[in-house]
């Protein structure tokens, strides 16, 4: 079923919307959650919650790209879930690694009170991504949006794992410099 | 936590960036929705004949071959079912669901770390007894377990590369490899693993860029093993590259290979344009510098002598239609 037809089902308040969403995007959403949580039960719960969130959001929302819309919900739910469980046990998935890597992107600051608003940070990230070469951007987004492992990225981009690591390292450094220049405080 | 805030902020980046970076399994979903678009993206758009032929192939929905012409290259198209992306993210299994060699995945032996290959080694390949050991592991709840086992040589393979482990009370032997193994030179690497006897070469994979800039994956199927030995593995004196962590290894060609005795299937031997030979045998990268001339000689040999097919992945839905 086409995405626009599924979205129509949501607008008609037909419960078929959920089953069609599940049929088409369950694996996709599960993959996003699992990369972050590395736990089957938690990932399944995030995916099931994704359907509920989508049901509550459409209408009034009418997503242009249903896959991305659902993926965002799953991603946010998985990160929230990760935050809850990380104090209990250390995750085995990509989350710990990604957070360690992103620590390198935090601009140096001695001003802890001035925190940039979410919307400004989002615009800065978009601006940064827009100036990257397409392949570099795709690789960076695969790592930090989809939480794909270095191995998976290397395989899909058909480059060595060491090149993926090197490219990510350079891009993270560029991001830190960019955020510092923009005066972004996180 | 600042890094969590930054990570969360990525959620709202421009949707086009998210879509363009989607993993292959998600991109394939798009192909189902618009079958020709997926195919046309792979083929060079300026070759009308090729596009029509390719479209017909997909419409028929069968695995078949047809000629596609790219400038001075002609490779038949081979349509193959797309791999199931779900397989790559198999759910975590509980301790009791694991095989014994998965439960005890690694151990220290003679100052090196050995990791399980999960695969069994046949009794006829078992060599001399080496040592009794006790393996330690933890289940998902952090409860510790121990298991006694005997370590044996695998016939023809140096114990510095791999050993067989028989757990107490069982009949099977499991392969474990030394992920820290380093060879002095290519000759030692070949000899220690007895690669002349144990390696089986498969297809050669080539990442070819058309004049229009599109990338295609070409599989060459009739590689002569002797040519690999003569061109790539002939000079046994070359040293293993010491520090590969910062290296940019971009394969121009890679050879798929199996080492059945250690349970390896479809791993790789890559050749880079700047003359490096790289492999993931024994689970960690091993790199040797063979020189640009040798690398080019091998690429020329394959392009001029082997039969190639352009690989186009199709989804289950396309196969059934």
């Amino acid at each position: 079923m086409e995405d626009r037809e599924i979205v129509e089902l949501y607008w008609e308040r037909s419960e078929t919307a959920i089953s069609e969403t599940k049929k088409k995007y369950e694996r996709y959403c599960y993959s996003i959650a699992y990369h972050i949580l590395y736990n089957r039960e938690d990932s399944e719960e995030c995916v099931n919650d994704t359907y509920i969130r989508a049901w509550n959001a459409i209408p009034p929302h009418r997503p242009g790209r249903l896959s991305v819309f659902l993926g965002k919900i799953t991603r946010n739910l998985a990160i929230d879930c990760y935050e809850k469980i990380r104090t209990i046990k250390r995750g085995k998935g990509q989350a710990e690694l990604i957070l360690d890597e992103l620590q390198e992107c935090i601009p140096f600051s001695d001003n802890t009170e001035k925190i940039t608003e979410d919307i400004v940070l989002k615009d800065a990230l978009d601006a940064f991504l827009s100036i990257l070469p397409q392949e570099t951007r795709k690789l960076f987004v695969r790592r930090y949006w989809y939480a794909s492992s270095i191995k998976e990225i290397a395989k899909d981009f058909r480059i060595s794992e060491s090149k993926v690591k090197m490219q990510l390292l350079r891009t993270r450094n560029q991001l830190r410099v960019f955020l510092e220049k923009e005066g972004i405080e996180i | 936590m600042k890094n969590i805030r930054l990570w969360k902020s990525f959620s709202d980046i421009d949707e086009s960036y998210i879509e363009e970076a989607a993993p292959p399994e998600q991109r394939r979903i798009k192909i189902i929705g618009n079958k020709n678009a997926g195919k046309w993206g792979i083929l060079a758009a300026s070759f009308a004949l090729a596009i029509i032929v390719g479209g017909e192939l997909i419409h028929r929905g069968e695995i078949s071959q047809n000629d596609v012409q790219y400038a001075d290259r002609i490779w038949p198209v081979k349509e193959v079912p797309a791999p199931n992306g779900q397989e790559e993210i198999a759910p975590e299994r509980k301790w009791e669901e694991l095989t014994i060699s998965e439960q005890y995945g690694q151990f220290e032996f003679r100052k090196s770390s050995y990791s399980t290959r999960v695969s069994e080694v046949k009794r006829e390949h078992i060599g001399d007894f080496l040592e009794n050991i006790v393996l330690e592991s933890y289940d998902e709840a952090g409860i510790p377990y121990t298991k006694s086992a005997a370590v044996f040589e695998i016939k023809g393979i140096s114990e510095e590369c791999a050993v067989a482990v028989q757990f107490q009370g069982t009949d099977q032997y499991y392969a474990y490899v030394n992920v820290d193994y380093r060879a002095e030179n290519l000759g030692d690497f070949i000899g220690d693993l007895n690669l002349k006897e144990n390696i089986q070469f498969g297809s050669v994979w080539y990442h070819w860029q058309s004049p229009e800039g599109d990338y295609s994956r070409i599989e060459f199927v009739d590689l002569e093993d002797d040519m690999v030995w003569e061109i790539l593995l002939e000079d046994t004196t070359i040293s293993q590259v010491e520090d590969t962590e910062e290296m940019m290894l971009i394969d121009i060609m890679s050879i798929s290979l199996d080492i059945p005795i250690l349970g390896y299937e479809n791993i790789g031997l890559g050749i880079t344009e700047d003359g490096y030979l790289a492999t993931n045998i024994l689970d960690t990268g091993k790199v040797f510098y063979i020189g640009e001339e040798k690398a080019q000689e091998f690429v020329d040999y394959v392009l001029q002598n082997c039969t190639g097919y352009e690989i186009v992945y199709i989804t289950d839905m396309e196969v059934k239609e």
Side-chain angles (χ1 to χ4, degrees):
Chain A
M1 186 177 277
E2 294 289 326
D3 285 357
R4 58 179 171 72
E5 295 174 279
I6 298 175
V7 172
E8 262 329 299
L9 290 172
Y10 278 101
W11 274 78
E12 292 165 12
R13 308 314 285 162
S14 164
E15 290 180 10
T16 314
I18 303 281
S19 56
E20 288 298 329
T21 302
K22 186 175 180 179
K23 198 187 295 178
K24 191 166 180 181
Y25 289 113
E26 182 175 40
R27 182 190 297 178
Y28 170 64
C29 292
Y30 181 86
S31 169
I32 291 171
Y34 191 81
H35 276 91
I36 294 169
L37 297 167
Y38 206 72
N39 178 286
R40 183 175 53 193
E41 287 175 3
D42 290 343
S43 302
E44 284 172 354
E45 196 175 322
C46 281
V47 174
N48 287 331
D49 288 350
T50 299
Y51 305 142
I52 297 166
R53 293 278 182 104
W55 178 261
N56 291 334
I58 314 172
H61 200 71
R62 191 180 283 279
R65 295 179 174 94
L66 186 58
S67 60
V68 175
F69 174 78
L70 295 166
K72 273 187 191 180
I73 295 174
T74 308
R75 184 178 186 276
N76 287 334
L77 286 167
I79 293 176
D80 287 343
C81 179
Y82 171 76
E83 274 191 280
K84 283 180 195 162
I85 61 174
R86 79 191 296 248
T87 52
I88 304 168
K89 59 179 181 180
R90 192 175 169 84
K92 294 185 206 165
Q94 295 300 312
E96 287 287 344
L97 298 171
I98 284 173
L99 288 174
D100 284 347
E101 291 168 11
L102 286 179
Q103 192 64 44
E104 301 166 18
C105 304
I106 308 295
F108 173 76
S109 168
D110 53 6
N111 185 350
T112 54
E113 290 177 11
K114 182 178 165 245
I115 294 174
T116 305
E117 289 179 10
D118 286 349
I119 186 69
V120 177
L121 181 54
K122 179 247 185 247
D123 287 346
L125 286 175
D126 275 343
F128 173 72
L129 291 169
S130 73
I131 59 172
L132 293 177
Q134 189 185 31
E135 284 301 297
T136 306
R137 181 171 64 232
K138 282 161 69 175
L139 196 146
F140 200 65
V141 173
R142 271 296 296 278
R143 179 67 175 154
Y144 299 113
W145 200 94
Y146 288 97
S148 294
S149 69
I150 301 291
K151 191 175 180 180
E152 287 170 317
I153 296 170
K155 185 181 158 204
D156 290 345
F157 284 70
R158 293 190 53 73
I159 55 178
S160 66
E161 291 183 33
S162 58
K163 184 169 185 198
V164 174
K165 287 180 195 168
M166 179 57 70
Q167 188 66 63
L168 288 172
L169 175 64
R170 286 177 179 160
T171 314
R172 288 198 302 273
N173 287 338
Q174 287 173 355
L175 175 58
R176 181 179 44 77
V177 171
F178 181 90
L179 293 176
E180 282 174 352
K181 276 186 183 169
E182 293 294 312
I184 301 289
E185 305 281 347
I186 296 175
Chain B
M1 297 287 288
K2 291 182 174 186
N3 48 2
I4 282 204
R5 183 174 182 232
L6 182 58
W7 194 25
K8 279 184 171 177
S9 299
F10 272 89
S11 285
D12 296 320
I13 60 172
D14 191 300
E15 292 191 351
S16 62
Y17 299 150
I18 301 167
E19 201 167 46
E20 74 175 359
E25 57 266 39
Q26 176 57 16
R27 289 203 294 272
R28 285 197 295 273
I29 288 169
K30 289 180 67 179
I31 294 172
I32 295 169
N34 183 357
K35 291 178 284 186
N36 286 339
K39 179 70 178 179
W40 290 18
I42 294 164
L43 299 180
S46 60
F47 292 99
L49 176 63
I51 291 168
I52 292 165
V53 169
E56 286 176 353
L57 266 174
I58 283 188
H59 189 65
R60 284 207 305 274
E62 60 190 33
I63 299 172
S64 57
Q65 298 174 1
N66 223 309
D67 285 351
V68 175
Q69 183 168 359
Y70 291 104
D72 61 339
R73 296 283 180 201
I74 300 175
W75 285 300
V77 167
K78 183 193 281 186
E79 294 194 331
V80 298
N84 181 353
Q86 192 71 18
E87 290 167 3
E88 297 167 16
I89 51 165
E92 192 176 18
R93 288 179 293 152
K94 294 187 186 312
W95 172 264
E96 59 269 19
E97 294 169 337
L98 302 176
T99 65
I100 194 164
S101 72
E102 290 173 319
Q103 288 175 334
Y104 297 92
Q106 57 187 25
F107 62 92
E108 295 294 315
F109 179 66
R110 298 183 180 174
K111 296 183 179 174
S112 291
S113 178
Y114 287 72
S115 290
T116 182
R117 291 287 314 137
V118 180
S119 61
E120 290 184 29
V121 183
K122 289 180 183 169
R123 183 177 289 272
E124 65 256 36
H125 296 309
I126 300 301
D128 294 338
F129 166 78
L130 295 174
E131 211 169 298
N132 284 318
I133 57 169
V134 176
L135 289 89
E136 298 175 352
S137 191
Y138 297 86
D139 69 8
E140 61 275 2
I143 298 169
Y145 294 85
T146 58
K147 189 80 179 172
S148 298
V151 181
F152 293 84
E153 274 186 346
I154 300 173
K155 282 181 184 170
I157 293 181
S158 164
E159 67 192 62
E160 288 181 28
C161 292
V163 293
V165 170
Q166 185 183 36
F167 291 93
Q168 191 176 46
T170 66
D171 295 329
Q172 292 82 14
Y173 298 88
Y174 291 97
Y176 282 74
V177 296
N178 176 6
V179 295
D180 300 324
Y181 168 81
R182 284 191 50 77
E184 283 294 312
N185 54 43
L186 186 56
D188 285 350
F189 185 65
I190 293 167
D192 285 350
L193 281 158
N194 195 15
L195 291 182
K196 285 270 186 188
E197 294 288 327
N198 291 325
I199 204 166
Q200 295 172 1
F201 296 113
S203 298
V204 180
W205 298 90
Y206 180 43
H207 210 207
W208 185 73
Q209 189 174 20
S210 75
E212 287 73 34
D214 296 322
Y215 278 100
S216 298
R217 199 172 191 217
I218 313 298
E219 178 187 12
F220 293 93
V221 292
D222 48 3
L223 172 71
E224 290 178 63
D225 289 6
D226 287 349
M227 297 307 289
V228 180
W229 289 102
E230 281 179 28
I231 301 174
L232 300 178
L233 305 173
E234 183 190 32
D235 183 356
T236 54
T237 63
I238 54 177
S239 301
Q240 183 177 336
V241 176
E242 286 285 336
D243 187 9
T244 58
E245 190 62 28
E246 304 294 308
M247 288 182 74
M248 302 278 190
L249 294 167
I250 305 171
D251 293 350
I252 42 172
M253 273 189 179
S254 64
I255 306 166
S256 66
L257 61 90
D258 298 342
I259 305 179
I261 196 170
L262 296 178
Y264 285 112
E265 283 182 16
N266 199 25
I267 58 173
L269 181 66
I271 301 103
T272 74
E273 201 168 16
D274 48 357
Y276 288 96
L277 198 60
T279 182
N280 51 350
I281 293 173
L282 299 180
D283 295 356
T284 48
K286 315 278 185 296
V287 181
F288 299 90
Y289 181 69
I290 58 169
E292 291 178 25
E293 271 186 35
K294 285 287 182 188
Q296 190 59 50
E297 186 183 344
F298 183 75
V299 171
D300 291 343
Y301 154 73
V302 172
L303 292 176
Q304 289 164 18
N305 296 283
C306 297
T307 310
Y309 299 96
E310 185 206 357
I311 299 299
V312 175
Y313 291 107
I314 56 172
T315 61
D316 289 347
M317 189 175 290
E318 289 166 341
V319 174
K320 285 172 192 164
E321 278 177 357

